[in-house]
Amino acid sequence: MKRFFALLLCLLVAFCVAACNKDKGDTDKDSDNDDGGASSKSSVSFYVNCNSVKVELGGDAKAVISALGTPKSTSPMGNCGGQGTLTKYSYASIEVYVLTVGDKETVDQITLLDDSIKTPENITIGSTKDDVIKACGNATKLSDTNITYTSGNKNLMIQLRDGAVVGIDYRVL
Amino acid sequence: MKKRILISVSAILIICVLMLLLQMLVMPKYTDNKEGALVSEYYGEIGDHDVIFVGDCEVYESFVPAVLWEKYGISSYVRGSAQQLVWQSYYLLEETLRYETPKTVVFNVMALKYGEPQREAYNRMTLDGMRWSSSKIGAINASMTEEESFVEYVFPLLRFHSRITSLTSDDFRYAFEAPNVSHSGYLLQTGIVPQTDFSEGRAELDYEIAENAWKYLDMMRELCDERGIELILVKAPTNSWMYWWHDEWDVQVQDYAEEHNLEYYNFIPLADDIGIDWSTDTYDAGAHLNVYGAEKLTEYFGHILSENHGLADRRGEAKLAETWRPRLESYYNERNK
């Protein structure tokens, strides 16, 4: 009987420990694509250079914001349910959205505001739809108003109007 | 032989009780993040509600049942939760209708932007507070992300056992019962952080509301139809860059409402009529209303419910009025602190 009781206890403990083997962490829909660069699913990179500062989607934000200098404005907003804060840092030619969860600050979105900043594929606001397809390759989604390149949870979203680029966003979704 | 069986059964029971106690200890109590505690509070206030609100944070921070009762004699409850997804709204409603049959259900449409499971953290805040039923099982199955497993909802100890190393005094104090954080499901916020950034929201990958979202809205509508309940669609007046309600979504919801003969109130363009002042009526720079904004919206909507949807003033019903008396007291005690 004692042996039976001990066995049952061991089984219960083993049952609980088994759950520890799974890496739970925060179960955001994050992909394992962390290199910020091109993947086999698209031919684009998910970063821009702004005043010699590499702003990388999904990358560490602290150093980036520090290097970019004092923003024109900051606009923090809390996520529902205490799941972090999203802060929009606005600069002259770029907006950088930083997601803060605990001690971790990551670049959640990059928005290009004018043609002074080019993507690594040399696309700017004002480029044509044909320029985009030629430089970036086949899109994940393509229409007359939007071109999207997706790799894991990283997205390059290009808005078009009358065949020309009017908006460029990099976004984690 | 009998003695052996008795000892075995006793041993198993003791282990089960110990595991249950451990589970109650390690489960998050949400005393610092109150939004996780909302769903279970409904069970302490079941019954005789004319209006049930379902939806996400825009619902539990925009509509004040105490004000609906005080000003219009409309008895209501807000079954909201953080980032409550439309399938969760459906199952929460299905569950609620086991206990009572309101005249009206109000659903905030913001959640229609999501067509698939999002985050475990939000799932937990909605699902862990539900009593076990077929509705909870359905909600879990519809909500789980790839990393989650059903057994961890059945035995939350498997999910939260690692908290054993970071327990706080609140975990011990509130292991069995925690004090209510809401007022009939409304989460009161008195802080004021003005909205100063009125820029538009960010671009989305796709503006088509997903089939899965429509599916559960259809199910909600059909459930209400079967029970003779009016379903009303609303969009809270908040429209910050972070929680932007795109015109493309609004058009789809308008079309749906028209097709199915539903009322849809988008309060965003009515913010001025409601009297919302974005310098004083929000506690987080425009993402959500504080109590001052929520009271204004509730008074505005209460008038609509009363005048246009036939919801009767029941303040003359002594028993119901007596039920609401301590709720009003509790509400104003916190509001006026």
Side-chain angles (χ1 to χ4, degrees), chain A residues 36-39 42-46 120-121 135-137 149-151 156 170:
Chain A
S39 74
S42 76
S43 53
V44 302
S45 297
F46 296 93
E121 299 79 22
C136 302
Y149 294 89
T150 299
S151 179
L156 167 59
Y170 294 87

Side-chain angles (χ1 to χ4, degrees), chain A residues 17-37:
Chain A
V17 169
C20 293
N21 290 336
K22 205 170 166 185
D23 178 21
K24 292 303 294 190
D26 185 59
T27 54
D28 275 353
K29 287 170 61 188
D30 284 344
S31 88
D32 53 2
N33 184 6
D34 287 332
D35 62 11

Side-chain angles (χ1 to χ4, degrees), chain B residues 30-48:
Chain B
Y30 297 110
T31 49
D32 53 344
N33 174 17
K34 295 178 180 178
E35 289 159 282
L38 295 172
V39 170
S40 61
E41 290 186 4
Y42 168 72
Y43 305 110
E45 208 176 299
I46 287 173
D48 210 358

Side-chain angles (χ1 to χ4, degrees), chain B residues 32 74 114 198 206 292:
Chain B
D32 53 344
I74 296 172
Y114 300 113
F198 293 90
D206 189 345
Y292 315 113

Side-chain angles (χ1 to χ4, degrees), chain B residues 39-94:
Chain B
V39 170
S40 61
E41 290 186 4
Y42 168 72
Y43 305 110
E45 208 176 299
I46 287 173
D48 210 358
H49 298 110
D50 292 325
V51 181
I52 295 288
F53 295 86
V54 286
D56 56 20
C57 46
E58 290 191 355
V59 138
Y60 64 75
E61 289 185 329
S62 294
F63 298 101
V64 189
V67 170
L68 270 183
W69 173 257
E70 186 184 32
K71 305 286 184 188
Y72 297 100
I74 296 172
S75 179
S76 65
Y77 197 94
V78 178
R79 287 218 83 178
S81 54
Q83 205 185 72
Q84 186 181 107
L85 302 167
V86 60
W87 42 93
Q88 293 166 348
S89 297
Y90 167 75
Y91 285 111
L92 275 167
L93 177 61
E94 184 188 69

Side-chain angles (χ1 to χ4, degrees), chain A residues 74-149:
Chain A
T74 59
S75 181
M77 286 235 175
N79 260 328
C80 284
Q83 298 302 303
T85 303
L86 192 66
T87 304
K88 179 170 67 171
Y89 293 87
S90 298
Y91 300 89
S93 302
I94 195 173
E95 285 174 347
V96 180
Y97 295 73
V98 173
L99 179 65
T100 305
V101 181
D103 294 332
K104 204 173 163 195
E105 293 182 25
T106 51
V107 177
D108 195 70
Q109 178 169 332
I110 307 163
T111 297
L112 306 189
L113 299 177
D114 59 36
D115 60 4
S116 66
I117 300 181
K118 297 182 183 184
T119 72
E121 299 79 22
N122 231 25
I123 298 301
T124 69
I125 287 176
S127 298
T128 67
K129 180 179 174 181
D130 289 342
D131 291 338
V132 173
I133 294 168
K134 195 173 169 186
C136 302
N138 291 331
T140 310
K141 276 180 142 179
L142 177 66
S143 72
D144 287 337
T145 54
N146 287 284
I147 307 178
T148 304
Y149 294 89

Side-chain angles (χ1 to χ4, degrees), chain A residues 63-84:
Chain A
V64 164
I65 297 301
S66 177
L68 287 174
T70 307
K72 283 168 49 184
S73 65
T74 59
S75 181
M77 286 235 175
N79 260 328
C80 284
Q83 298 302 303

